[in-house]
Amino acid sequence: VGVAANDSADALVLHMLGRLVTSSEIELQNVEVEGSPLALAERIVAKAPDLVLISHVVPAGLTYARYLVRRIH
């Protein structure tokens, strides 16, 4: 599962990574950031993914990304 932590740059990174792994056995499902971070974390946990990738391109959004990591973990 892929989550863009902040803005369109983060979403673009996830999209590009998804294109790179399409030929492998890895399936990257991007989750839309809608609602509160708590609701997003609950949606991710409900999917029970093998891996959660949080895309974060500096400088903005680090606090939000760290919060998501704590809630999902």
Side-chain angles (χ1 to χ4, degrees):
V1 170
V3 180
N6 193 33
D7 58 11
S8 59
D10 298 333
L12 179 61
V13 168
L14 282 176
H15 178 73
M16 291 187 323
L17 182 61
R19 302 275 288 189
L20 286 173
V21 298
T22 55
S23 61
S24 67
E25 295 179 11
I26 299 170
E27 179 184 350
L28 180 62
Q29 299 174 355
N30 294 337
V31 176
E32 295 294 324
V33 179
E34 297 172 349
S36 70
L38 179 59
L40 174 62
E42 289 174 353
R43 284 196 337 250
I44 292 170
V45 170
K47 288 181 177 276
D50 294 327
L51 176 73
V52 176
L53 174 68
I54 299 175
S55 172
H56 168 66
V57 178
V58 293
L62 182 59
T63 303
Y64 183 75
R66 290 177 64 193
Y67 178 78
L68 281 177
V69 168
R70 285 191 209 132
R71 293 308 259 165
I72 293 167
H73 188 270

